[in-house]
Amino acid sequence: MLHLLDQTPEHLRAWFTERGLPAFRAAQVRRWVFAKPGIEFDQMSDLARPLREQLAEAFCIWTTRVAARKKAADQTEKLLLELSDGQRIECVLLRDDKGHQTVCISTQVGCAMGCVFCASGLDGVVRSLTTGEIVEEMLRLKQLLPDGERLTHVVVMGMGEPLVNLDRLLPALEMATHRDGLGISARRVTISTVGIPKGIRRLADLNCQYHLAVSLHAPDDDLRNRLVPTNRKIGIAAILEAADYYFEKTGRRVTFEYVLLAGINDQPEHAARLVALLKGRPALVNLIPYNPVAGLPYRTPAPAASARFAGALEHAGITVATRFRKGDRIDAACGQLRRSQPGAPDRGADA
Ligand code: SAH
C-alpha cells in the first residue's frame, strides 16, 4: 500500500490519469486530507463510492498513532507519534497571543550529530523520516486545533538534522506551503541546521524563501568542537561562508542559534568573540537558555547572565532575540519526551 501523504501532487495526479480518471480529483483528495486531518476515504463525500473504494485499496492516508499527548499551562502541546515500524518521534504545537500557531517537527528518528547537551542524539540516529511521515506530523498537530483554525508557521527544530534528509523534507515543505496543502507562507518556515555547508548551499540555490537558522553555540572552533562534535570535520569559517551565500542568494538574513550553557559558553569573553565573529554580517542571534536534560551535566544560566550576554551583543549592534521558553513541564526539549516513555531504547542516566 502506498502512503498517500508520501505522494507529491504530480505523483498523485499521475495515479489518477493513468487510470483514466480526471486529474482534478487528485487535488480534491489532497484538499480533504489537509483540511480534515484524520479523515478516511469513505468520508470524502464528493467522490463517487467506487472511487473511494479504489483509493482505499491503493493508499493508506495515516500511518502514525498518537502514543502520548502532553499539554503545558501555556497551551504548548507535544505529541509522541508512533510510526508504522514502532519507532517514536516528537512534534510540538506552540501558540502565542499574536495568533501564531507554530508546529515544530522532527526529520529523523534520533540524530547522528551528537551535540553533547541535546537529548535527541543520545542514542544516535535510527533512520530518516519519509516525506509522508513529516507531513503527517504537521497534520496530527493541526488536528489539535479547533475546526477552521490554521497553522501559521513551521519550524524544523525537532529531532534530527534536516539537511541530511533534504530530499524528503523539501517535498513535505512544498505541501506545507502549497495552496492545496497547508497554505503556509514559505517565509514562515524555518529550517534549523547544525551547519552543513553543502546542504545550506543547496537550499540557497533553490532560491526558496525559507528562513535558515544555524546552530552555532560557540564563538570559536575549540569550543564548538567540544559542544558540536560534527564541527571537527567542518569548522565555523565554512559554515559562515555558506550562511553568507544563503543571504546573497535569497536576501533572507540568517539566524544564528546559541544555546546558553552556564559557565561553558555564556561568559563575557564568549560574547566578545561572538561579536568579533559576526560583526559586519547581516545576522540575527537567537539566544536559547538551556533546557536541562535529565542525566546531562549542563545547566541553565541565571537570567542575569543571559541578559548580560544579550546586552553585550546588542551593544555591538547585533540583533538579538532571547527565545521564550515554552512547554517547560512537558519535556519540550527535543528528544526528552521520547526518552521518558516506557520502552524507550535506552533511558540513560535518568531512568
Ligand atoms: N539539528 C538541528 C535541529 C536541532 S533542534 C540543529 O542542530 O539546529 C533546534 C535547536 O535546539 C538547536 O539549536 C539545538 O542545538 C537546540 N537544543 C537542543 N537541545 C536543547 C536543549 N536541551 N535546550 C536548549 N536548546 C537545545
Side-chain angles (χ1 to χ4, degrees):
M1 264 232 241
L2 297 167
H3 186 190
L4 186 90
L5 300 176
D6 223 14
Q7 312 300 311
T8 61
E10 298 71 41
H11 281 141
L12 196 60
R13 261 201 311 276
W15 188 91
F16 278 80
T17 50
E18 279 160 17
R19 283 157 186 80
L21 298 162
F24 73 86
R25 295 276 179 224
Q28 222 171 327
V29 169
R30 290 163 51 76
R31 276 196 296 271
W32 272 118
V33 170
F34 282 92
K36 294 212 175 305
I39 192 170
E40 293 298 345
F41 290 114
D42 62 8
Q43 296 166 282
M44 298 184 182
S45 50
D46 55 359
L47 301 182
R49 189 162 298 278
L51 175 57
R52 289 185 236 168
E53 282 163 11
Q54 198 179 350
L55 284 163
E57 271 165 35
F59 297 101
C60 60
I61 313 180
W62 311 104
T63 62
T64 69
R65 179 181 79 81
V66 176
R69 173 178 172 182
K70 291 202 177 183
K71 189 170 188 169
D74 65 8
Q75 302 297 303
T76 300
E77 281 191 77
K78 187 164 200 168
L79 295 181
L80 182 71
L81 294 184
E82 187 167 300
L83 310 175
S84 56
D85 61 357
Q87 293 294 337
R88 291 171 164 199
I89 53 160
E90 300 178 9
C91 53
V92 186
L93 174 68
L94 304 117
R95 298 165 216 213
D96 68 14
D97 47 18
K98 288 180 264 173
H100 295 175
Q101 327 240 49
T102 303
V103 291
C104 175
I105 53 171
S106 295
T107 51
Q108 297 184 301
V109 180
C111 184
M113 298 300 119
C115 302
V116 296
F117 50 82
C118 176
S120 295
L122 288 175
D123 304 310
V125 66
V126 179
R127 67 170 173 90
S128 285
L129 299 184
T130 63
T131 296
E133 287 167 338
I134 298 171
V135 174
E136 211 167 314
E137 287 181 77
M138 297 188 258
L139 292 177
R140 288 285 185 213
L141 292 164
K142 183 180 181 207
Q143 214 174 346
L144 303 176
L145 295 175
D147 251 3
E149 276 194 38
R150 289 166 38 90
L151 297 175
T152 60
H153 294 72
V154 178
V155 297
V156 188
M157 291 190 184
M159 294 164 54
E161 170 47 44
L163 297 194
V164 302
N165 194 20
L166 260 187
D167 287 339
R168 280 134 151 213
L169 173 63
L170 290 173
L173 292 180
E174 259 169 52
M175 293 188 223
T177 52
H178 199 283
R179 80 190 134 73
D180 284 339
L182 288 168
I184 298 169
S185 150
R187 300 182 64 85
R188 292 174 159 200
V189 172
T190 300
I191 301 175
S192 174
T193 173
V194 74
I196 297 176
K198 237 170 98 182
I200 294 175
R201 287 171 189 274
R202 180 174 163 203
L203 209 51
D205 288 334
L206 293 176
N207 208 2
C208 47
Q209 280 293 299
Y210 300 140
H211 178 193
L212 180 72
V214 174
S215 297
L216 195 58
H217 305 331
D220 57 66
D221 280 326
D222 267 357
L223 184 56
R224 195 167 194 269
N225 288 347
R226 279 189 276 145
L227 299 177
V228 181
T230 181
N231 189 62
R232 292 178 205 137
K233 307 182 289 219
I234 300 170
I236 291 177
I239 295 173
L240 292 183
E241 264 174 42
D244 290 345
Y245 181 74
Y246 192 86
F247 175 70
E248 269 166 40
K249 278 285 200 169
T250 64
R252 296 221 62 188
R253 284 205 288 177
V254 174
T255 293
F256 292 96
E257 295 164 282
Y258 195 102
V259 171
L260 288 167
L261 305 163
I264 293 178
N265 67 355
D266 67 336
Q267 300 298 302
E269 79 238 32
H270 300 118
R273 264 182 268 152
L274 189 58
V275 165
L277 193 67
L278 298 182
K279 202 106 212 226
R281 289 196 151 85
L284 304 163
V285 172
N286 196 345
L287 295 177
I288 315 170
Y290 185 57
N291 194 350
V293 173
L296 294 183
Y298 306 99
R299 288 177 302 113
T300 315
S306 301
R308 193 179 52 200
F309 196 96
L313 300 185
E314 278 164 350
H315 185 71
I318 294 176
T319 311
V320 180
T322 302
R323 190 178 294 169
F324 182 52
R325 241 162 78 183
K326 288 188 172 248
D328 265 7
R329 299 251 190 77
I330 54 167
D331 298 330
C334 0
Q336 289 204 87
L337 178 59
R338 171 171 171 259
R339 291 179 64 77
S340 69
Q341 292 294 301
D346 169 15
R347 300 179 69 202
D350 55 329

